[in-house]
PDB file of all heavy atoms in Angstrom:
ATOM      1  N   GLN A   6       6.899  -4.774  -6.599  1.00 87.00           N
ATOM      2  CA  GLN A   6       7.435  -4.337  -5.318  1.00 87.00           C
ATOM      3  C   GLN A   6       8.627  -5.201  -4.978  1.00 87.00           C
ATOM      4  O   GLN A   6       8.526  -6.420  -4.931  1.00 87.00           O
ATOM      5  CB  GLN A   6       6.377  -4.450  -4.213  1.00 87.00           C
ATOM      6  CG  GLN A   6       6.842  -3.910  -2.884  1.00 87.00           C
ATOM      7  CD  GLN A   6       7.133  -2.428  -2.948  1.00 87.00           C
ATOM      8  OE1 GLN A   6       6.322  -1.640  -3.368  1.00 87.00           O
ATOM      9  NE2 GLN A   6       8.317  -2.040  -2.512  1.00 87.00           N
ATOM     10  N   THR A   7       9.757  -4.553  -4.772  1.00 88.00           N
ATOM     11  CA  THR A   7      10.998  -5.220  -4.400  1.00 88.00           C
ATOM     12  C   THR A   7      11.297  -4.959  -2.935  1.00 88.00           C
ATOM     13  O   THR A   7      11.053  -3.863  -2.444  1.00 88.00           O
ATOM     14  CB  THR A   7      12.176  -4.693  -5.249  1.00 88.00           C
ATOM     15  OG1 THR A   7      11.892  -4.924  -6.628  1.00 88.00           O
ATOM     16  CG2 THR A   7      13.477  -5.362  -4.884  1.00 88.00           C
ATOM     17  N   VAL A   8      11.834  -5.944  -2.247  1.00 90.00           N
ATOM     18  CA  VAL A   8      12.285  -5.786  -0.874  1.00 90.00           C
ATOM     19  C   VAL A   8      13.772  -6.080  -0.844  1.00 90.00           C
ATOM     20  O   VAL A   8      14.241  -7.023  -1.472  1.00 90.00           O
ATOM     21  CB  VAL A   8      11.526  -6.747   0.074  1.00 90.00           C
ATOM     22  CG1 VAL A   8      12.168  -6.796   1.451  1.00 90.00           C
ATOM     23  CG2 VAL A   8      10.074  -6.344   0.175  1.00 90.00           C
ATOM     24  N   LEU A   9      14.516  -5.245  -0.130  1.00 93.00           N
ATOM     25  CA  LEU A   9      15.937  -5.465   0.091  1.00 93.00           C
ATOM     26  C   LEU A   9      16.157  -5.697   1.574  1.00 93.00           C
ATOM     27  O   LEU A   9      15.513  -5.057   2.400  1.00 93.00           O
ATOM     28  CB  LEU A   9      16.759  -4.253  -0.360  1.00 93.00           C
ATOM     29  CG  LEU A   9      16.770  -4.053  -1.866  1.00 93.00           C
ATOM     30  CD1 LEU A   9      15.750  -3.016  -2.264  1.00 93.00           C
ATOM     31  CD2 LEU A   9      18.144  -3.704  -2.333  1.00 93.00           C
ATOM     32  N   ARG A  10      17.065  -6.602   1.908  1.00 93.00           N
ATOM     33  CA  ARG A  10      17.365  -6.867   3.309  1.00 93.00           C
ATOM     34  C   ARG A  10      18.855  -7.113   3.484  1.00 93.00           C
ATOM     35  O   ARG A  10      19.554  -7.537   2.556  1.00 93.00           O
ATOM     36  CB  ARG A  10      16.547  -8.039   3.837  1.00 93.00           C
ATOM     37  CG  ARG A  10      16.981  -9.365   3.258  1.00 93.00           C
ATOM     38  CD  ARG A  10      16.186 -10.502   3.843  1.00 93.00           C
ATOM     39  NE  ARG A  10      16.737 -11.781   3.376  1.00 93.00           N
ATOM     40  CZ  ARG A  10      16.198 -12.944   3.616  1.00 93.00           C
ATOM     41  NH1 ARG A  10      15.082 -13.009   4.320  1.00 93.00           N
ATOM     42  NH2 ARG A  10      16.749 -14.044   3.174  1.00 93.00           N
ATOM     43  N   ALA A  11      19.330  -6.832   4.684  1.00 95.00           N
ATOM     44  CA  ALA A  11      20.737  -7.054   5.037  1.00 95.00           C
ATOM     45  C   ALA A  11      20.845  -7.178   6.544  1.00 95.00           C
ATOM     46  O   ALA A  11      19.979  -6.696   7.280  1.00 95.00           O
ATOM     47  CB  ALA A  11      21.594  -5.889   4.553  1.00 95.00           C
ATOM     48  N   ARG A  12      21.887  -7.803   6.993  1.00 94.00           N
ATOM     49  CA  ARG A  12      22.112  -7.923   8.435  1.00 94.00           C
ATOM     50  C   ARG A  12      22.769  -6.659   8.984  1.00 94.00           C
ATOM     51  O   ARG A  12      22.780  -6.428  10.179  1.00 94.00           O
ATOM     52  CB  ARG A  12      22.972  -9.135   8.740  1.00 94.00           C
ATOM     53  CG  ARG A  12      22.295 -10.438   8.308  1.00 94.00           C
ATOM     54  CD  ARG A  12      22.802 -11.624   9.097  1.00 94.00           C
ATOM     55  NE  ARG A  12      22.189 -12.855   8.652  1.00 94.00           N
ATOM     56  CZ  ARG A  12      21.005 -13.287   9.048  1.00 94.00           C
ATOM     57  NH1 ARG A  12      20.300 -12.563   9.871  1.00 94.00           N
ATOM     58  NH2 ARG A  12      20.519 -14.418   8.608  1.00 94.00           N
ATOM     59  N   SER A  13      23.294  -5.832   8.108  1.00 96.00           N
ATOM     60  CA  SER A  13      23.924  -4.568   8.489  1.00 96.00           C
ATOM     61  C   SER A  13      23.458  -3.492   7.517  1.00 96.00           C
ATOM     62  O   SER A  13      23.226  -3.781   6.333  1.00 96.00           O
ATOM     63  CB  SER A  13      25.452  -4.687   8.423  1.00 96.00           C
ATOM     64  OG  SER A  13      26.048  -3.412   8.434  1.00 96.00           O
ATOM     65  N   VAL A  14      23.347  -2.274   7.987  1.00 95.00           N
ATOM     66  CA  VAL A  14      22.954  -1.171   7.114  1.00 95.00           C
ATOM     67  C   VAL A  14      23.972  -0.978   5.982  1.00 95.00           C
ATOM     68  O   VAL A  14      23.645  -0.444   4.923  1.00 95.00           O
ATOM     69  CB  VAL A  14      22.751   0.136   7.936  1.00 95.00           C
ATOM     70  CG1 VAL A  14      24.079   0.677   8.436  1.00 95.00           C
ATOM     71  CG2 VAL A  14      21.996   1.164   7.139  1.00 95.00           C
ATOM     72  N   PHE A  15      25.189  -1.452   6.178  1.00 96.00           N
ATOM     73  CA  PHE A  15      26.240  -1.328   5.169  1.00 96.00           C
ATOM     74  C   PHE A  15      26.245  -2.472   4.155  1.00 96.00           C
ATOM     75  O   PHE A  15      27.074  -2.517   3.267  1.00 96.00           O
ATOM     76  CB  PHE A  15      27.608  -1.223   5.850  1.00 96.00           C
ATOM     77  CG  PHE A  15      27.683  -0.047   6.786  1.00 96.00           C
ATOM     78  CD1 PHE A  15      27.692  -0.237   8.147  1.00 96.00           C
ATOM     79  CD2 PHE A  15      27.723   1.252   6.284  1.00 96.00           C
ATOM     80  CE1 PHE A  15      27.738   0.847   9.014  1.00 96.00           C
ATOM     81  CE2 PHE A  15      27.775   2.338   7.140  1.00 96.00           C
ATOM     82  CZ  PHE A  15      27.784   2.145   8.508  1.00 96.00           C
ATOM     83  N   GLY A  16      25.338  -3.441   4.325  1.00 95.00           N
ATOM     84  CA  GLY A  16      25.229  -4.544   3.371  1.00 95.00           C
ATOM     85  C   GLY A  16      26.073  -5.713   3.796  1.00 95.00           C
ATOM     86  O   GLY A  16      26.581  -5.754   4.899  1.00 95.00           O
ATOM     87  N   PRO A  17      26.194  -6.688   2.915  1.00 97.00           N
ATOM     88  CA  PRO A  17      25.604  -6.756   1.573  1.00 97.00           C
ATOM     89  C   PRO A  17      24.096  -6.981   1.627  1.00 97.00           C
ATOM     90  O   PRO A  17      23.587  -7.555   2.578  1.00 97.00           O
ATOM     91  CB  PRO A  17      26.307  -7.964   0.937  1.00 97.00           C
ATOM     92  CG  PRO A  17      26.629  -8.852   2.110  1.00 97.00           C
ATOM     93  CD  PRO A  17      26.914  -7.918   3.273  1.00 97.00           C
ATOM     94  N   TYR A  18      23.422  -6.541   0.584  1.00 97.00           N
ATOM     95  CA  TYR A  18      21.976  -6.631   0.505  1.00 97.00           C
ATOM     96  C   TYR A  18      21.527  -7.757  -0.409  1.00 97.00           C
ATOM     97  O   TYR A  18      22.168  -8.046  -1.418  1.00 97.00           O
ATOM     98  CB  TYR A  18      21.383  -5.313  -0.013  1.00 97.00           C
ATOM     99  CG  TYR A  18      21.345  -4.243   1.045  1.00 97.00           C
ATOM    100  CD1 TYR A  18      22.443  -3.418   1.259  1.00 97.00           C
ATOM    101  CD2 TYR A  18      20.229  -4.084   1.845  1.00 97.00           C
ATOM    102  CE1 TYR A  18      22.420  -2.441   2.238  1.00 97.00           C
ATOM    103  CE2 TYR A  18      20.190  -3.115   2.829  1.00 97.00           C
ATOM    104  CZ  TYR A  18      21.296  -2.295   3.019  1.00 97.00           C
ATOM    105  OH  TYR A  18      21.261  -1.338   3.995  1.00 97.00           O
ATOM    106  N   GLU A  19      20.424  -8.384  -0.030  1.00 96.00           N
ATOM    107  CA  GLU A  19      19.721  -9.336  -0.888  1.00 96.00           C
ATOM    108  C   GLU A  19      18.455  -8.642  -1.349  1.00 96.00           C
ATOM    109  O   GLU A  19      17.895  -7.835  -0.619  1.00 96.00           O
ATOM    110  CB  GLU A  19      19.312 -10.576  -0.097  1.00 96.00           C
ATOM    111  CG  GLU A  19      20.429 -11.351   0.548  1.00 96.00           C
ATOM    112  CD  GLU A  19      19.834 -12.448   1.421  1.00 96.00           C
ATOM    113  OE1 GLU A  19      19.457 -13.512   0.862  1.00 96.00           O
ATOM    114  OE2 GLU A  19      19.710 -12.238   2.630  1.00 96.00           O
ATOM    115  N   ASP A  20      18.015  -8.951  -2.561  1.00 95.00           N
ATOM    116  CA  ASP A  20      16.760  -8.362  -3.019  1.00 95.00           C
ATOM    117  C   ASP A  20      15.869  -9.440  -3.611  1.00 95.00           C
ATOM    118  O   ASP A  20      16.337 -10.475  -4.075  1.00 95.00           O
ATOM    119  CB  ASP A  20      17.003  -7.252  -4.049  1.00 95.00           C
ATOM    120  CG  ASP A  20      17.580  -7.769  -5.335  1.00 95.00           C
ATOM    121  OD1 ASP A  20      18.798  -8.086  -5.374  1.00 95.00           O
ATOM    122  OD2 ASP A  20      16.831  -7.866  -6.322  1.00 95.00           O
ATOM    123  N   ARG A  21      14.571  -9.153  -3.548  1.00 93.00           N
ATOM    124  CA  ARG A  21      13.588 -10.096  -4.079  1.00 93.00           C
ATOM    125  C   ARG A  21      12.327  -9.322  -4.457  1.00 93.00           C
ATOM    126  O   ARG A  21      11.896  -8.420  -3.740  1.00 93.00           O
ATOM    127  CB  ARG A  21      13.238 -11.136  -3.029  1.00 93.00           C
ATOM    128  CG  ARG A  21      12.194 -12.153  -3.518  1.00 93.00           C
ATOM    129  CD  ARG A  21      11.874 -13.184  -2.479  1.00 93.00           C
ATOM    130  NE  ARG A  21      13.009 -14.098  -2.340  1.00 93.00           N
ATOM    131  CZ  ARG A  21      13.008 -15.163  -1.572  1.00 93.00           C
ATOM    132  NH1 ARG A  21      11.950 -15.454  -0.842  1.00 93.00           N
ATOM    133  NH2 ARG A  21      14.047 -15.943  -1.504  1.00 93.00           N
ATOM    134  N   ILE A  22      11.738  -9.699  -5.588  1.00 91.00           N
ATOM    135  CA  ILE A  22      10.427  -9.166  -5.951  1.00 91.00           C
ATOM    136  C   ILE A  22       9.407  -9.944  -5.122  1.00 91.00           C
ATOM    137  O   ILE A  22       9.385 -11.178  -5.157  1.00 91.00           O
ATOM    138  CB  ILE A  22      10.152  -9.315  -7.454  1.00 91.00           C
ATOM    139  CG1 ILE A  22      11.118  -8.431  -8.246  1.00 91.00           C
ATOM    140  CG2 ILE A  22       8.696  -8.951  -7.770  1.00 91.00           C
ATOM    141  CD1 ILE A  22      11.042  -8.614  -9.745  1.00 91.00           C
ATOM    142  N   VAL A  23       8.567  -9.214  -4.361  1.00 91.00           N
ATOM    143  CA  VAL A  23       7.615  -9.876  -3.471  1.00 91.00           C
ATOM    144  C   VAL A  23       6.169  -9.642  -3.873  1.00 91.00           C
ATOM    145  O   VAL A  23       5.264 -10.250  -3.300  1.00 91.00           O
ATOM    146  CB  VAL A  23       7.837  -9.437  -2.004  1.00 91.00           C
ATOM    147  CG1 VAL A  23       9.199  -9.911  -1.509  1.00 91.00           C
ATOM    148  CG2 VAL A  23       7.684  -7.937  -1.855  1.00 91.00           C
ATOM    149  N   LEU A  24       5.918  -8.750  -4.848  1.00 91.00           N
ATOM    150  CA  LEU A  24       4.564  -8.491  -5.335  1.00 91.00           C
ATOM    151  C   LEU A  24       4.645  -8.062  -6.785  1.00 91.00           C
ATOM    152  O   LEU A  24       5.419  -7.165  -7.125  1.00 91.00           O
ATOM    153  CB  LEU A  24       3.890  -7.391  -4.516  1.00 91.00           C
ATOM    154  CG  LEU A  24       2.481  -6.975  -4.943  1.00 91.00           C
ATOM    155  CD1 LEU A  24       1.483  -8.114  -4.725  1.00 91.00           C
ATOM    156  CD2 LEU A  24       2.038  -5.739  -4.172  1.00 91.00           C
ATOM    157  N   ALA A  25       3.878  -8.713  -7.648  1.00 91.00           N
ATOM    158  CA  ALA A  25       3.838  -8.374  -9.071  1.00 91.00           C
ATOM    159  C   ALA A  25       2.409  -8.520  -9.572  1.00 91.00           C
ATOM    160  O   ALA A  25       1.573  -9.173  -8.927  1.00 91.00           O
ATOM    161  CB  ALA A  25       4.780  -9.283  -9.874  1.00 91.00           C
ATOM    162  N   GLN A  26       2.125  -7.946 -10.728  1.00 88.00           N
ATOM    163  CA  GLN A  26       0.779  -7.979 -11.290  1.00 88.00           C
ATOM    164  C   GLN A  26       0.295  -9.398 -11.525  1.00 88.00           C
ATOM    165  O   GLN A  26      -0.853  -9.728 -11.252  1.00 88.00           O
ATOM    166  CB  GLN A  26       0.725  -7.191 -12.596  1.00 88.00           C
ATOM    167  CG  GLN A  26      -0.638  -7.231 -13.248  1.00 88.00           C
ATOM    168  CD  GLN A  26      -0.736  -6.348 -14.474  1.00 88.00           C
ATOM    169  OE1 GLN A  26       0.131  -5.535 -14.748  1.00 88.00           O
ATOM    170  NE2 GLN A  26      -1.791  -6.523 -15.240  1.00 88.00           N
ATOM    171  N   GLY A  27       1.163 -10.253 -12.038  1.00 85.00           N
ATOM    172  CA  GLY A  27       0.768 -11.633 -12.320  1.00 85.00           C
ATOM    173  C   GLY A  27      -0.433 -11.694 -13.242  1.00 85.00           C
ATOM    174  O   GLY A  27      -0.493 -11.002 -14.245  1.00 85.00           O
ATOM    175  N   ARG A  28      -1.423 -12.494 -12.880  1.00 87.00           N
ATOM    176  CA  ARG A  28      -2.626 -12.679 -13.710  1.00 87.00           C
ATOM    177  C   ARG A  28      -3.731 -11.673 -13.370  1.00 87.00           C
ATOM    178  O   ARG A  28      -4.844 -11.802 -13.842  1.00 87.00           O
ATOM    179  CB  ARG A  28      -3.154 -14.095 -13.537  1.00 87.00           C
ATOM    180  CG  ARG A  28      -2.166 -15.176 -13.943  1.00 87.00           C
ATOM    181  CD  ARG A  28      -2.706 -16.572 -13.607  1.00 87.00           C
ATOM    182  NE  ARG A  28      -3.143 -16.700 -12.226  1.00 87.00           N
ATOM    183  CZ  ARG A  28      -2.387 -17.126 -11.214  1.00 87.00           C
ATOM    184  NH1 ARG A  28      -1.143 -17.475 -11.438  1.00 87.00           N
ATOM    185  NH2 ARG A  28      -2.862 -17.228  -9.996  1.00 87.00           N
ATOM    186  N   THR A  29      -3.441 -10.684 -12.528  1.00 87.00           N
ATOM    187  CA  THR A  29      -4.472  -9.758 -12.070  1.00 87.00           C
ATOM    188  C   THR A  29      -4.552  -8.528 -12.973  1.00 87.00           C
ATOM    189  O   THR A  29      -3.709  -8.320 -13.839  1.00 87.00           O
ATOM    190  CB  THR A  29      -4.187  -9.290 -10.636  1.00 87.00           C
ATOM    191  OG1 THR A  29      -3.095  -8.375 -10.644  1.00 87.00           O
ATOM    192  CG2 THR A  29      -3.887 -10.469  -9.724  1.00 87.00           C
ATOM    193  N   ASP A  30      -5.566  -7.715 -12.732  1.00 85.00           N
ATOM    194  CA  ASP A  30      -5.715  -6.441 -13.440  1.00 85.00           C
ATOM    195  C   ASP A  30      -5.016  -5.300 -12.719  1.00 85.00           C
ATOM    196  O   ASP A  30      -5.068  -4.161 -13.172  1.00 85.00           O
ATOM    197  CB  ASP A  30      -7.202  -6.087 -13.595  1.00 85.00           C
ATOM    198  CG  ASP A  30      -7.926  -7.041 -14.532  1.00 85.00           C
ATOM    199  OD1 ASP A  30      -7.265  -7.584 -15.450  1.00 85.00           O
ATOM    200  OD2 ASP A  30      -9.135  -7.258 -14.343  1.00 85.00           O
ATOM    201  N   VAL A  31      -4.380  -5.584 -11.595  1.00 85.00           N
ATOM    202  CA  VAL A  31      -3.725  -4.538 -10.804  1.00 85.00           C
ATOM    203  C   VAL A  31      -2.320  -4.337 -11.353  1.00 85.00           C
ATOM    204  O   VAL A  31      -1.368  -5.001 -10.956  1.00 85.00           O
ATOM    205  CB  VAL A  31      -3.697  -4.899  -9.302  1.00 85.00           C
ATOM    206  CG1 VAL A  31      -3.042  -3.796  -8.501  1.00 85.00           C
ATOM    207  CG2 VAL A  31      -5.108  -5.158  -8.806  1.00 85.00           C
ATOM    208  N   ASN A  32      -2.204  -3.398 -12.296  1.00 83.00           N
ATOM    209  CA  ASN A  32      -0.911  -3.149 -12.943  1.00 83.00           C
ATOM    210  C   ASN A  32      -0.012  -2.338 -12.024  1.00 83.00           C
ATOM    211  O   ASN A  32      -0.465  -1.558 -11.198  1.00 83.00           O
ATOM    212  CB  ASN A  32      -1.112  -2.418 -14.267  1.00 83.00           C
ATOM    213  CG  ASN A  32      -1.706  -1.035 -14.060  1.00 83.00           C
ATOM    214  OD1 ASN A  32      -2.636  -0.861 -13.279  1.00 83.00           O
ATOM    215  ND2 ASN A  32      -1.188  -0.054 -14.745  1.00 83.00           N
ATOM    216  N   GLY A  33       1.272  -2.517 -12.209  1.00 75.00           N
ATOM    217  CA  GLY A  33       2.276  -1.718 -11.518  1.00 75.00           C
ATOM    218  C   GLY A  33       2.151  -1.651 -10.011  1.00 75.00           C
ATOM    219  O   GLY A  33       2.250  -0.563  -9.461  1.00 75.00           O
ATOM    220  N   PRO A  34       1.915  -2.768  -9.302  1.00 79.00           N
ATOM    221  CA  PRO A  34       1.826  -2.636  -7.851  1.00 79.00           C
ATOM    222  C   PRO A  34       3.187  -2.216  -7.293  1.00 79.00           C
ATOM    223  O   PRO A  34       4.176  -2.914  -7.460  1.00 79.00           O
ATOM    224  CB  PRO A  34       1.426  -4.035  -7.390  1.00 79.00           C
ATOM    225  CG  PRO A  34       1.870  -4.954  -8.468  1.00 79.00           C
ATOM    226  CD  PRO A  34       1.816  -4.153  -9.732  1.00 79.00           C
ATOM    227  N   HIS A  35       3.241  -1.035  -6.706  1.00 76.00           N
ATOM    228  CA  HIS A  35       4.519  -0.513  -6.231  1.00 76.00           C
ATOM    229  C   HIS A  35       4.303   0.593  -5.207  1.00 76.00           C
ATOM    230  O   HIS A  35       3.185   0.974  -4.921  1.00 76.00           O
ATOM    231  CB  HIS A  35       5.332   0.018  -7.412  1.00 76.00           C
ATOM    232  CG  HIS A  35       4.704   1.216  -8.060  1.00 76.00           C
ATOM    233  ND1 HIS A  35       3.597   1.115  -8.867  1.00 76.00           N
ATOM    234  CD2 HIS A  35       5.006   2.523  -7.985  1.00 76.00           C
ATOM    235  CE1 HIS A  35       3.261   2.325  -9.279  1.00 76.00           C
ATOM    236  NE2 HIS A  35       4.079   3.198  -8.757  1.00 76.00           N
ATOM    237  N   GLN A  36       5.403   1.106  -4.714  1.00 81.00           N
ATOM    238  CA  GLN A  36       5.448   2.259  -3.814  1.00 81.00           C
ATOM    239  C   GLN A  36       4.549   2.009  -2.613  1.00 81.00           C
ATOM    240  O   GLN A  36       3.524   2.639  -2.416  1.00 81.00           O
ATOM    241  CB  GLN A  36       5.017   3.519  -4.554  1.00 81.00           C
ATOM    242  CG  GLN A  36       5.443   4.792  -3.906  1.00 81.00           C
ATOM    243  CD  GLN A  36       5.065   5.985  -4.758  1.00 81.00           C
ATOM    244  OE1 GLN A  36       4.327   5.881  -5.724  1.00 81.00           O
ATOM    245  NE2 GLN A  36       5.580   7.130  -4.387  1.00 81.00           N
ATOM    246  N   GLY A  37       4.959   1.061  -1.776  1.00 84.00           N
ATOM    247  CA  GLY A  37       4.090   0.644  -0.705  1.00 84.00           C
ATOM    248  C   GLY A  37       4.643   0.838   0.684  1.00 84.00           C
ATOM    249  O   GLY A  37       5.721   1.395   0.883  1.00 84.00           O
ATOM    250  N   ALA A  38       3.874   0.351   1.656  1.00 90.00           N
ATOM    251  CA  ALA A  38       4.246   0.455   3.058  1.00 90.00           C
ATOM    252  C   ALA A  38       3.700  -0.738   3.831  1.00 90.00           C
ATOM    253  O   ALA A  38       2.556  -1.134   3.647  1.00 90.00           O
ATOM    254  CB  ALA A  38       3.683   1.744   3.650  1.00 90.00           C
ATOM    255  N   TRP A  39       4.514  -1.277   4.709  1.00 92.00           N
ATOM    256  CA  TRP A  39       4.126  -2.372   5.584  1.00 92.00           C
ATOM    257  C   TRP A  39       3.449  -1.781   6.816  1.00 92.00           C
ATOM    258  O   TRP A  39       3.960  -0.844   7.429  1.00 92.00           O
ATOM    259  CB  TRP A  39       5.370  -3.161   5.958  1.00 92.00           C
ATOM    260  CG  TRP A  39       5.214  -4.170   7.053  1.00 92.00           C
ATOM    261  CD1 TRP A  39       4.079  -4.804   7.468  1.00 92.00           C
ATOM    262  CD2 TRP A  39       6.248  -4.684   7.891  1.00 92.00           C
ATOM    263  NE1 TRP A  39       4.334  -5.686   8.486  1.00 92.00           N
ATOM    264  CE2 TRP A  39       5.672  -5.624   8.771  1.00 92.00           C
ATOM    265  CE3 TRP A  39       7.605  -4.446   7.964  1.00 92.00           C
ATOM    266  CZ2 TRP A  39       6.408  -6.320   9.718  1.00 92.00           C
ATOM    267  CZ3 TRP A  39       8.350  -5.146   8.907  1.00 92.00           C
ATOM    268  CH2 TRP A  39       7.752  -6.064   9.768  1.00 92.00           C
ATOM    269  N   VAL A  40       2.294  -2.320   7.160  1.00 91.00           N
ATOM    270  CA  VAL A  40       1.539  -1.873   8.329  1.00 91.00           C
ATOM    271  C   VAL A  40       1.258  -3.096   9.188  1.00 91.00           C
ATOM    272  O   VAL A  40       0.853  -4.131   8.671  1.00 91.00           O
ATOM    273  CB  VAL A  40       0.197  -1.221   7.909  1.00 91.00           C
ATOM    274  CG1 VAL A  40      -0.599  -0.804   9.133  1.00 91.00           C
ATOM    275  CG2 VAL A  40       0.433  -0.055   6.977  1.00 91.00           C
ATOM    276  N   GLU A  41       1.478  -2.974  10.485  1.00 91.00           N
ATOM    277  CA  GLU A  41       1.166  -4.068  11.394  1.00 91.00           C
ATOM    278  C   GLU A  41       0.094  -3.598  12.372  1.00 91.00           C
ATOM    279  O   GLU A  41       0.236  -2.543  12.999  1.00 91.00           O
ATOM    280  CB  GLU A  41       2.417  -4.521  12.151  1.00 91.00           C
ATOM    281  CG  GLU A  41       2.218  -5.826  12.893  1.00 91.00           C
ATOM    282  CD  GLU A  41       3.512  -6.384  13.418  1.00 91.00           C
ATOM    283  OE1 GLU A  41       4.313  -6.866  12.601  1.00 91.00           O
ATOM    284  OE2 GLU A  41       3.711  -6.336  14.643  1.00 91.00           O
TER     285      GLU A  41
END
Side-chain angles (χ1 to χ4, degrees):
Q6 184 63 53
T7 301
V8 169
L9 291 98
R10 70 178 187 186
R12 298 205 182 277
S13 164
V14 71
F15 301 108
Y18 283 87
E19 301 173 81
D20 67 284
R21 179 179 288 185
I22 294 174
V23 295
L24 178 66
Q26 178 175 348
R28 300 174 308 268
T29 73
D30 292 331
V31 181
N32 64 316
H35 66 286
Q36 199 176 10
W39 169 24
V40 178
E41 192 170 288

